[in-house]
C-alpha cells in the first residue's frame, strides 16, 4: 500500500477486497485486506476475507504479502496468519512479534491460533522460549497497564507451553520475564524459581532476581543476582543490575562498590560507566559526574544499547532538564490575571523596575495590568551590566520598545516547532536546536525581543496558561539557536560567542539567563570551551552577588542554578551558587495551580 494512501474504514476496505477477489485481482485485494487488518487485527470478518483470498490464490496466499523494504504492518500480520495456516506457526509468530515491536499497544496476536493449547505442542520448547524473549525485547519493562491486554495472548502461549514442557528451564525463565513485564509478578517468581531448581544458570538467576525485585523482595533479588555473578564473574551487566538494586534501596556506597568492581575489570563497560556516574551524582550532587557521563556518551557513540541514566539524572533539575519558572510580583500578577482571579487589583506596585521581558509579557498578555515603580535603585537595573552589551529594548518614557526588528515568519514557524520547557539533558537540547541553524542573526535576536504567540497545539494551549513560561521557552531556544550560528568560526573569535556574551552582560533580564544557559550548554558539548565558559559564569554570578548587596536581583536564583549546572566551575563559585540556592529558594507549592501546570509540562 503506498505510504500516502489513507486507509478506508475496515468495512469499506473489506468490500473492495471482495470485489477485487471476484475480479481476480488478488494483489489489489491483498492491499485492502492488509489495510483492514492493520486497523482491526482481531475482527473476524477480516480473517474471513484473508482466508477467502488465500483460497483464491491456490498457493496459500503467503506470497501475496511479500516482505520487501519497509513492509506495511498489515501485510506483515497477514503473512504471519497465512504462514500459521500453512503449518509454519513459528515463522508466523516471529512476524507477529515484529508487529508488536512496531505498535506494542495493538492486539496483533489476539487470534485463536496463537492462544490454542495445541500450538504449544507444535512448537519446540527452545523456539517458544526464543519467541517469548523476542516479545520481551519488543516491549518496555514493565509494560504500562494500558498496554498489557495486547500482550495477553503471548502470556497464554507461555502458560500453554509451560504446561506442555514443564521441565524446560529456558522456557520457564523466558515465560517469567514476560509475566513480570505484564504485572504477573507472583507467576514470574514461580516460573523463574522452577527454572533455577531444574537447571541452575546465570540467566535463570537473573530472571529470578528481576522477578523478586519487581515484587519488592530486595534481599531475595540480591541473593539471586549474586548467584548469577558466581555462575559468570565476567558478565558485568549483572554487577550493574546489583548496583541499581542496591541504589533503589538507598544503599549507595554498596552500589558503588559493585560498580567499582565492574570498572576494575573493564573501565569502558558502558552499563557500569552510566550507572556509576548517575549514582555518584545522586550521592553528592556534583554536576561533574553528569558532564563526565555526557563526555563518555559522545566518545562512545556505538554503545551496545541505549541508556537513560543521563536523562534520569537531569530530569526536573533547573537548567539541566528544564527552564526555571519566572518569579516576581509582575509574573505572579500576570498568572492570576490569566487565570481570571478577580480578587487582586489591576495595579502592581514595585520597589524597582521589573526585568524587561516580564514587563513586556504583562503588557502583551494582560494589558489591563498597571505597573507602578516607586523608585529606580542603584545600580540602575535598566542599564546593561557592562558597557557595549547588546540592547534589545529602549525606554520611551515609561514604555519599553524593542530595539531590534521583528523576526521573519519562517523564524517564528521554526521556533514554535521546537520550543519546549523541558529537555532530556543539555547535549540533547543542543542537538534539537540544530533546526534553527540556518536562521539569520537578526531573526534570532528578533525572537528574543518579539516572542511570538504559543503555537495552536496541545503544548501551546497548556503554555498559554502561563505566558511568562512560553516567553522563557522562546528565549532559551533562540539562544540555543545562536550556538549553531556560523559554527565554522573558531569559538574564541566567533559571532555566536560575542553575541551571547553581549546578551549575558545586558540588563538583568530573562534573556540573561537564556544566553548564559546557551554558553553552559556549549561547555557541555565542547570540552575545549569549558574554561572560557566557567570564567563567564563565575564573573556573572559574582556581579549578581555584588549588586544584591544594594538591591534585589530578580534573576539571581536562576543564575545560581545555571552555575551549578556549569562544567568546570571552581569550588568557590560553586559554593556561592549553592548558598544562593539554599537561601533564596522559591519553588511553586505542590498543590498550587503553577505547580500542577509545571508538572504537566515537564512530564516527558
Amino acid at each position: 500500500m503506498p505510504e500516502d494512501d489513507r486507509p478506508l474504514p475496515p468495512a469499506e476496505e473489506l468490500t473492495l477486497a471482495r470485489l477485487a477477489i471476484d475480479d481476480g485481482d488478488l494483489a489489489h485485494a491483498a492491499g485492502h485486506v492488509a489495510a483492514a487488518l492493520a486497523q482491526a487485527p482481531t475482527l473476524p470478518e477480516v480473517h474471513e476475507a484473508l482466508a477467502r483470498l488465500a483460497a483464491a490464490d491456490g498457493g496459500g496466499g503467503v506470497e501475496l504479502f511479500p516482505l520487501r523494504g519497509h513492509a506495511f504492518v498489515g501485510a506483515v500480520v497477514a503473512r504471519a496468519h497465512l504462514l500459521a495456516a500453512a503449518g509454519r506457526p513459528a515463522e508466523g509468530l516471529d512476524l507477529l512479534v515484529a508487529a508488536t515491536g512496531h505498535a506494542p499497544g495493538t492486539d496483533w496476536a489476539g487470534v485463536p491460533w496463537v492462544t490454542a493449547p495445541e500450538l504449544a505442542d507444535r512448537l519446540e520448547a527452545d523456539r517458544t522460549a526464543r519467541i517469548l524473549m523476542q516479545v520481551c525485547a519488543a516491549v518496555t519493562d514493565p509494560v504500562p497497564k494500558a498496554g498489557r491486554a495486547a500482550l495477553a495472548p503471548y502470556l497464554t502461549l507461555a502458560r500453554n507451553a509451560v504446561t506442555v514442557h514443564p521441565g524446560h528451564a529456558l522456557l520457564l525463565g523466558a515465560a517469567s520475564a514476560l509475566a513480570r513485564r505484564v504485572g504477573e509478578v507472583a507467576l514470574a517468581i514461580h516460573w523463574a524459581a522452577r527454572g533455577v531448581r531444574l537447571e541452575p544458570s546465570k540467566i535463570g538467576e537473573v530472571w529470578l532476581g528481576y522477578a523478586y525485585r519487581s515484587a519488592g523482595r530486595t534481599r531475595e533479588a540480591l541473593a539471586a543476582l549474586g548467584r548469577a555473578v558466581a555462575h559468570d564473574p565476567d558478565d558485568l551487566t549483572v554487577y550493574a543490575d546489583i548496583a541499581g538494586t542496591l541504589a533503589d534501596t538507598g544503599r549507595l556506597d554498596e552500589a558503588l562498590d559493585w560498580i567499582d568492581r565492574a570498572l576494575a575489570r573493564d573501565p569502558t563497560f558502558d552499563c557500569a560507566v552510566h550507572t556509576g556516574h548517575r549514582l555518584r551524582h545522586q550521592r553528592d550532587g556534583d554536576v561533574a559526574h553528569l558532564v563526565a557521563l555526557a563526555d563518555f556518551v559522545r566518545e562512545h557513540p556505538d554503545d551496545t544499547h541505549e541508556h537513560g541514566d543521563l536523562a534520569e539524572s537531569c530530569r526536573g533539575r533547573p537548567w539541566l532538564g528544564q527552564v526555571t519558572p519566572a518569579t516576581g510580583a509582575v509574573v505572579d500578577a500576570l498568572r492570576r490575571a490569566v487565570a481570571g482571579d478577580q480578587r487582586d487589583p489591576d495595579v502592581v506596585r514595585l520597589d524597582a523596575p521589573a526585568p524587561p521581558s516580564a514587563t513586556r509579557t504583562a503588557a502583551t498578555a494582560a494589558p489591563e495590568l498597571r505597573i507602578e515603580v516607586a523608585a529606580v535603585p542603584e545600580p540602575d537595573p535598566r542599564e546593561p551590566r557592562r558597557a557595549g552589551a547588546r540592547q534589545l529594548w529602549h525606554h520611551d518614557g515609561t514604555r519599553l520598545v524593542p530595539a531590534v526588528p521583528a523576526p521573519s515568519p519562517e523564524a517564528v514557524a521554526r521556533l514554535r516547532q521546537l520550543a519546549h520547557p523541558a529537555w532530556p539533558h543539555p547535549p540533547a537540547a543542543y542537538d534539537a536546536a540544530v533546526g534553527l541553524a540556518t536562521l539569520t542573526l537578526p531573526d534570532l535576536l528578533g525572537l528574543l525581543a518579539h516572542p511570538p504567540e504559543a503555537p495552536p497545539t496541545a503544548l501551546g494551549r497548556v503554555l498559554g496558561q502561563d505566558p511568562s513560561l512560553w516567553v522563557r521557552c522562546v528565549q532559551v531556544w533562540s539562544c540555543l539557536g545562536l550556538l549553531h550560528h556560523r559554527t565554522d568560526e573558531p569559538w574564541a573569535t566567533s559571532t555566536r560567542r560575542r553575541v551571547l556574551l553581549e546578551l549575558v552582560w545586558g540588563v538583568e533580564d530573562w534573556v540573561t539567563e537564556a544566553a548564559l544557559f546557551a554558553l553552559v550548554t556549549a561547555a557541555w558539548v565542547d570540552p575545549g570551551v569549558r574554561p572560557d565558559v566557567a570564567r563567564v559564569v563565575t564573573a556573572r554570578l559574582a556581579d549578581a552577588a555584588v549588586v544584591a548587596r544594594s538591591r534585589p536581583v530578580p534573576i539571581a536564583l536562576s543564575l545560581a542554578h545555571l552555575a551549578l549546572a556549569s562544567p568546570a566551575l571552581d569550588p568557590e563559585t560553586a559554593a556561592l551558587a549553592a548558598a544562593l540556592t539554599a537561601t533564596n529558594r522559591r519553588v511553586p507549592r505542590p498543590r498550587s495551580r503553577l505547580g500542577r501546570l509545571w508538572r504537566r509540562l515537564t512530564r516527558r
Side-chain angles (χ1 to χ4, degrees), residues 400-413:
L400 270 174
V401 180
V404 295
S408 67
E410 179 190 359
V412 169

Side-chain angles (χ1 to χ4, degrees), residues 383-402:
E383 295 296 326
R385 294 304 305 145
R386 282 190 179 177
R390 188 171 292 268
Q391 295 272 34
L392 295 177
W393 304 274
H394 63 79
H395 288 82
D396 180 8
T398 59
R399 243 177 12 105
L400 270 174
V401 180

